[in-house]
Amino acid sequence: MSSSSSSSSRVTYTLKRRRDAVSSSDTEAPLTPPRKWARQGRGRGILAEKPDCDLDELVRRRIFDSKDHTAIDDFKNMKRLRRDQDVLRVAQEIIDQVKLTVKAEIQQAATKMLEVELYLMWLQGLDYVVKGVTAVLDTTIPGTRRHMSGVGRISFSLLYHLMETFIDEVNSHQNGWSFRHPVGPAEADPLIMTLAEECNDSNSDVRSEEAVCAAEHFFERYDKIMATALRRYKSECNQKLMVISIDRKEESLSRGCCLLSEQTGFGSTDDMGFNLLDETRDAMTKWKLEGQ
């Protein structure tokens, strides 16, 4: 009797979901599985991204077209210029193309060149980039005197890596070695004078001085626009966060200028390159000291 009475008096409880919980859960839950939903989201983001524009076309022509109002945005949003290693790759491509163009010009002229004249031609081949970056930095917001923002980092990084790559190429050529050549030493160009041929050429000293003078004038222009790009970059970024990077770049650039001066005479060998890109390197040093 006691067992039957206890079982008959047992109470059964039923758990019910609250109405508001049911409605919010059922209406907000996506019908698509989470992982598939994430894949779809990634796909939409990729499709929405514009492809890169032609950098060569942009800096040679588009940036100087007053009717082209998208050139600056295309420059700022180039995926190929987002990271330092990407900019380095672009710089190497530009230098490679310049070297091919210069080689074709020398072969067409069919005249013997001094090594220092060859290096000057490489530098002059970068002139279109300098002019393009200058135009980018000089561009103002329509109807105002304010410069366009967000172009400092890309402009400085491009100019910095172009110069570093140029110095590396001069060093490789000076040593008769190409680090990207699959079998080691690169063959000497018969249209470039050897040291012995330069010594036997009565005009080599005059030609060398003229080439060095022209190169130093180019470096002055390059230095001015590179320093402007650096200061713009500094005003647009977290200055303290970039101190280590700027310090490393300044040391590398100083060593490169010293090596370049020793090998070519640019910037006077007595000064060991101290006159090369001095405005830019001073600005980098100042940035470094401010962050300490």
Side-chain angles (χ1 to χ4, degrees), residues 25 29 32 37-38 43-44 75 90-91 121 125 136 157 174-175 189 200 205 207 217 227 230 236 277 279 290:
S25 175
T32 309
W37 182 272
R44 282 196 298 271
F75 182 70
V90 170
M121 293 180 72
V136 167
S157 186
Q174 194 79 11
N175 296 332
D189 192 331
N200 294 327
D205 288 342
R207 290 171 59 183
H217 282 306
L230 176 70
E236 294 172 353
L277 306 176
E279 184 178 349
E290 289 175 353

Side-chain angles (χ1 to χ4, degrees), residues 246-256 284 288:
I246 293 298
D247 182 21
R248 186 169 59 248
K249 284 182 169 64
E250 190 277 328
E251 290 182 1
S252 178
L253 194 60
S254 295
R255 288 194 300 268
M284 297 171 80
K288 176 185 66 175

